[in-house]
Amino acid sequence: MNESTNYDEGKVGNHPLPNVLECEDGTQVRDSACWISKRRPEILDLFSRYVYGKSPAQQIEIEWEEISVNLNALGGRAKRYEIAIFCGGKNRGVRVDLALYIPNSATNPVPLFLGCNFNGNQAVDSDSSIPINTRWMRNTEDGKSVVNNHATDYARGFEATRWPLEQIIEKGFGVATFYYGDIEADHPEGWKTGVRAALSPDKDLTQFEDDDWGAISAWSWGLCRAMDYLVTNLAVDSQKIALIGHSRLGKAALWAGAQDERFALVLSNNSGAGGISLARRNFGESIASINENFPHWFSGNYKRFNQSPQTLPIDMHEMAALIAPRPLYIASAQEDLWADPKGEFLAGKFAEPVYSLFGKPGLGVTEWPPVNQPVGENIGYHLRSGKHDVTAYDWEQFLRFASLHFRIPQ
Ligand code: GTR
């Protein structure tokens, strides 16, 4: 936060948003076919060039190995597996350790929530018998790493760290999660030991182009590689995988869901600036401050818009539109003004014309709803009371929304 941060609704400015249904050559999108073949690829390309940076398009070789299994995890409710996923070859790429929970009550392949975690797989689970992931320990000892803030939050009881695994399993869902630092440590030099160096011919001497991938794009790429593995696992219903992310990991989940349509549903929790909140609204975190505080998150090109968000060729309602026609849930928190909760709602609102092309109702309301009153059909939304976090209340809404769309009886 700096002195120029605006929290006055009267000063947000009134910059028109790019027209989500107008192609770059002026063509108006009138049906889903035109959206799919013409406008959607244009918007994806703009986000990758100007915001997140391009991740490698080529198919990457992945191998995996089961490294542990507990058939009676969570008090006998679930099987817990740890799978090492080697992305880009065992010796050349990066290794992601995916924790996978499958309900013991399941008789069929299960729907599942997939998301990165902030503090290592052991931190997600209240089972203290899980060995500490040593790679995570090394990262948290790195004084430069901004993720250390989250370690402090964890000690303070920040709820986002721990997932309500029992509750999720009891509703019939599986869970898959990995530590985001497995892909790349979260600090400006983190790329040197992460996937962006591993996959580049020049390794840690790589000179990035202005449209090359930043860390958020790298974490999103990791989510897609976890998906590559999950589609091969017969215990998982790969048609029913919901992608979830909080805050910076919400930005990563959105970008992964936008690019990879294998994800059936996307849940953005307090993803804020560079996530789902509209960049043109001068409220809370700005492009300039996010680029200054986290220079490694976005593409070099994104810095061009530090002083002029209104010149960005896209805005975040178009990110929401990239999820269409798949269900999207946007969760905001009332005290999380830094993330601009109203800007998060409006991004969903202005994505509705694209859901309409598919005959799908969106939020079902015209006004920003009052606190703790969830709304929406294919675009779900709530403004929770309280601060920046993922709470039991948020999970209740996510479980309800995913159960509805995946037709899971509750
Ligand atoms: C903040 C950052 C936000 C949000 C958050 C988080 O410091 O400014 O955009 O991503 O970190 O990830 O917790």
Side-chain angles (χ1 to χ4, degrees), residues 65-69 80-84 97-100 121:
E65 218 173 275
E66 196 176 283
I67 49 177
S68 77
V69 55
R80 178 186 195 276
Y81 304 88
E82 264 204 299
I83 295 113
D97 287 352
L98 186 77
L100 174 65
N121 296 343

Side-chain angles (χ1 to χ4, degrees), residues 3 125 129 212 222 298 304 314 322 357 374 394:
E3 281 163 27
D125 194 320
S129 67
D212 272 336
F298 297 92
R304 288 208 228 161
I314 54 264
L322 289 175
L357 294 174
D394 297 315

Side-chain angles (χ1 to χ4, degrees), residues 111-115 163 168 173-177 242 244 267 395 398-399 402:
L112 169 148
F113 291 94
L114 166 68
W163 296 28
I168 302 172
F173 288 83
V175 172
T177 182
I244 180 165
L267 304 146
W395 272 105
F398 300 157
L399 284 163

